[in-house]
Amino acid sequence: MANQILALGTTADDGTGDNLRVGGDKINDNFLELYTALGDGDAIASGISASATVISLVAPNISGTVAGTQTAATITTLNSTTVNAGTATIAAGSITDSSGAISFGNENLTTTGTLGVGAITTTGAFKGADGYTIGNASVAAVMTLASSGIVTFADDILIKDGGTIGVASATTAMTIASTGIVTFVDDILIKDAGTIGNATTAAAIQIEADGDIVLSDDLYISGGLLDLKNEGSVSQIKLYCESSNAHAQTLQSAPHSAASSSVCVLPTASGTLIGTGDTGTLPLVAIDIDGGTDIGADLATADLIIVDDAAGGTNRKATLARVITLVQANIDDPVALALALG
């Protein structure tokens, strides 16, 4: 109902205005409309009070649509206020809570601007658009969330001493001690041909798809023992030449049939090892004749000796019979020598 204005007439008591009954009826109708709108028709609700500049509402239930624009208004207190199945839009403004918390039950909070908060607690999902960033006043993009789900950090990630990183099924998948040591409760998997490194050498270790491990530099083993096991073939170590790894010499263990657990001790002096098929030289001092076993019988012409053929460095075998022939050819009376030798 529209506001009913009392007709006062042109001048006092000229008889052109409303009579007392009509005027009283208008007054009653106007007050009835106010009491009905602000109360139960008989009394104004106790939760409403007003001063010259402030209207106060105690625990109100606001329904319907609140329209219009307030450019310089402040709502100082909202106690248990709920926006049900609707949208609260604040244009060029802000919601500030200095003491308690602002809760969004099962509703979504959408903003195209900046959400500045001290802490966010949610029992649901915190979602942003593809490429969404989270930051602070100094670094706007501390975290970037790609459409693939990958999270990129602009700088370091720090957790407390002894802190853990995990998933729903394994909450302590990783533990980082105060010393910096990282402990994993299960396997570590990286992509095929993935690398492990440091700031100076990013690809210090590469793990190929077939399981081969490639080191970009030296390997140091401080424990002093290298166990080289296998999966059905004798173990080998290949030592390559310096020119494009074109050639390699192989150190190989004895086969299972040899039942060998021998220990090979390297020489104490620098030199070259000689194999059974090698044509290298063996220093005379390396032959330990004093430690040999005596023949236990008289020498015979069929016994073998080693000779340096014409002192040219080529070693050959010879029988003791050749010694007799040499002596006979170089003495004055070979017959007497033969008789002496029997």
Side-chain angles (χ1 to χ4, degrees), residues 20 48 106 249:
L20 291 177
I48 300 176
N106 294 322
Q249 288 78 47

Side-chain angles (χ1 to χ4, degrees), residues 167-185:
V167 295
S169 300
T171 56
T172 57
M174 293 171 54
T175 301
I176 305 177
S178 59
T179 58
I181 295 176
V182 181
T183 303
F184 296 85
V185 298

Side-chain angles (χ1 to χ4, degrees), residues 279-282 287 305-318:
T279 58
T281 59
L282 179 65
I287 301 176
I305 59 174
I306 300 173
V307 297
D308 184 353
D309 190 3
T314 301
N315 296 328
R316 293 286 187 267
K317 68 178 181 178

Side-chain angles (χ1 to χ4, degrees), residues 261-278:
S261 297
S262 62
V263 176
C264 295
V265 180
L266 296 176
T268 56
S270 299
T272 301
L273 296 177
I274 301 174
T276 56
D278 208 331

